[in-house]
Structure formats: structure tokens, C-alpha cells
Amino acid sequence: MTNLFSMFDPATSSWFSLNWTASLLFMLIFPIKKWLVPTRWTLTMSLMSDYIFNQFMPMVKKMKYLLITTLSYMLFIMFNNVMGLFPYIFTSSSHMSFTLPLALTSWLAMMIYGWLNNYTNLLTHLIPQGTPYILMPFMVLIETISNLIRPGTLAVRLTANMIAGHLLMVLLSTALSNAPTSAVFALFTALSALTILETAVSFIQAYVFSVLITLYMAEFAD
């Protein structure tokens, strides 16, 4: 079991863990449009960014520039998730040390901005429209708790989904190396299908994280 979970351990004997540098690998392939001659890769990235921006735009009624943050979140998490599928690359998004600070800093920034600039709107969100007077104290308590646990749920959702799929891939890979000849084809087919599924999950989880951040931002900004 120690070997099974060692893939999620970022610790090394040096003062700086080289595993965390995997989070910056996307900079090697991310196109710098202003500095490079346009290519098919830069065109693909531009079209993808425009598509994501247009998909998120209806979620924010005001302050459309907030979508720059969510677009950056999605691309950053998506690249980290996908690169974690390659051998010998540490999946930083499967560790709470990566996801919790990412979600917590975003949540704190939204809370500080909201209470300094739009506190009346935040107070109205604590009591949904049409709530009976007798239930208002309970609704305030429930909404307050739900706001406080948002960064934890964002971090745990991303971490748990990435860990679960990677653990299954490790288990199937271990079973494939020790399997009898009659079971090799079935295990290889299952591992291939799981790899395709994990690739889709990598995109989906980045999208879900970005959508939730956008909705939370819209609540604090509008």
C-alpha cells in the first residue's frame, strides 16, 4: 500500500520538491501569441480560449473581466490534470496542498471584495426570496455554513476525482504486469478505456472548478 500511494507523495529529500515543478510544465507548450509567429497550435489555443470565454459569459451579468480569472483557472488546472496522465509526471492537482490554497485564495479574495464593495447584496443572498419569517434565522445559519465550506468542497472535489482515477489506473497496471496470458487482453482493454475516461475527467473537473468559481464570483460581484 505504501508503493500504491507513493505517487501522491510530493516529498523529496531536497529542500525543494522537484515534483511540484510539474505544475509549470504547461508553460513549455502554452503558446505566447504576442511573441511567436501564429501557428496551428496558437490558433487552436485561441479558438479554445474564445469558446470557453463565450460559454462562461452568460454566468456573469456585470464585471465581465472576471472571466479572465476563471479562464486562467481552467487552462491551468486542465494542463495539470492532463499532464498527470503521462508517466513520471507528478499530478499536483491530486494533492490537497495544491487544490486547497488555489480554492482558498480565490474564496478569500471574493469575500474581501464582496464585503468591502457589495455587502448589501451578500446579506440578501443569506435569505432566499419567499422564505417564511420563522425560518429566516435557520436559513442565515445554513447559507453562512455553505459559504464557509465552499473552498473545502472545491478542493476536495478536484482532489478526490483525480486520486480515484489514478489509483484505479495504478491497480490495473499492477494487475496487468502480473496477470496470466488469458487475462492480458481484458485488462489491457479496461486500462485503455480507463485512460480515455481519465482524460475526459481531466477536462471535466477543470470545467467544473471554473464554473463554480465563476458562479461564486457572480454572486459577490453582481
Side-chain angles (χ1 to χ4, degrees):
M1 296 303 292
T2 303
N3 293 332
L4 179 62
F5 287 94
S6 62
M7 62 183 296
F8 304 109
D9 184 12
T12 58
S13 58
S14 61
W15 65 275
F16 178 72
S17 176
L18 294 178
N19 287 328
W20 291 112
T21 59
S23 302
L24 303 177
L25 288 177
F26 76 98
M27 298 179 64
L28 298 177
I29 62 175
F30 198 85
I32 306 175
K33 303 179 197 176
K34 294 183 179 180
W35 297 351
L36 298 180
V37 177
T39 60
R40 293 181 180 178
W41 173 244
T42 57
L43 179 60
T44 302
M45 289 301 303
S46 178
L47 292 176
M48 184 176 66
S49 301
D50 293 340
Y51 177 78
I52 297 173
F53 190 85
N54 292 330
Q55 289 293 316
F56 287 175
M57 189 175 295
M59 302 180 190
V60 182
K61 297 179 182 178
K62 302 176 183 178
M63 302 171 65
K64 300 292 185 180
Y65 58 84
L66 291 175
L67 295 178
I68 299 176
T69 303
T70 57
L71 178 61
S72 302
Y73 272 133
M74 182 171 179
L75 293 177
F76 179 60
I77 296 174
M78 181 183 67
F79 274 108
N80 278 278
N81 292 346
V82 173
M83 286 188 175
L85 297 174
F86 291 94
Y88 305 108
I89 296 181
F90 174 69
T91 311
S92 56
S93 55
S94 65
H95 209 282
M96 287 292 290
S97 300
F98 174 87
T99 58
L100 186 58
L102 191 65
L104 189 59
T105 52
S106 304
W107 179 80
L108 283 176
M110 289 186 292
M111 288 293 292
I112 293 173
Y113 175 84
W115 284 108
L116 290 179
N117 300 280
N118 202 13
Y119 64 91
T120 55
N121 192 28
L122 295 182
L123 292 176
T124 57
H125 279 290
L126 296 178
I127 303 177
Q129 187 176 4
T131 303
Y133 291 105
I134 193 173
L135 296 179
M136 285 184 178
F138 300 100
M139 293 303 300
V140 171
L141 179 61
I142 293 173
E143 290 295 327
T144 302
I145 295 175
S146 67
N147 284 330
L148 292 177
I149 65 174
R150 280 178 177 178
T153 55
L154 284 174
V156 171
R157 179 185 291 107
L158 180 57
T159 302
N161 281 280
M162 298 311 298
I163 284 181
H166 283 68
L167 283 178
L168 288 176
M169 293 179 66
V170 172
L171 289 173
L172 283 179
S173 300
T174 304
L176 182 62
S177 60
N178 301 320
T181 307
S182 58
V184 168
F185 179 76
L187 288 175
F188 180 78
T189 303
L191 184 59
S192 301
L194 183 60
T195 303
I196 297 174
L197 177 62
E198 278 303 299
T199 304
V201 169
S202 299
F203 289 94
I204 293 172
Q205 289 305 313
Y207 178 79
V208 169
F209 190 96
S210 303
V211 166
L212 292 177
I213 285 290
T214 304
L215 294 176
Y216 295 158
M217 286 182 176
E219 182 178 325
F220 285 96
D222 292 344

